[in-house]
Amino acid sequence: MKRMYLFEIEADEKPIFNIGEWELLHNITHDSKLALEQSVVAYGEIEAGKYIELYEKS
């Protein structure tokens, strides 16, 4: 799981979720092995100022 800071995320108009928001979504995962495709669909905060890539769940 790649962790990055907000300034490292490209400005590509993908949603950025706060802590607790993305964990409630059932169609999103941080595990690329469970992903439908390897393309990033959003970013999720895991701790103050640190984010991970999120994928569409298969």
Side-chain angles (χ1 to χ4, degrees):
M1 172 173 38
K2 180 181 175 186
R3 296 177 185 206
M4 59 194 104
Y5 293 100
L6 189 57
F7 66 85
E8 296 176 290
I9 297 173
E10 297 177 21
D12 54 8
E13 300 182 16
K14 292 182 179 156
I16 298 175
F17 294 105
N18 292 323
I19 295 173
E21 287 181 329
W22 65 271
E23 293 95 338
L24 299 176
L25 300 173
H26 299 289
N27 62 333
I28 300 288
T29 183
H30 70 280
D31 189 350
S32 62
K33 294 176 184 136
L34 299 175
L36 185 61
E37 294 181 15
Q38 295 299 311
S39 58
V40 176
V41 295
Y43 298 93
E45 190 173 21
I46 53 170
E47 57 185 79
K50 292 188 181 173
Y51 296 82
I52 56 172
E53 298 173 328
L54 300 175
Y55 308 94
E56 187 176 356
K57 193 184 271 187
S58 58

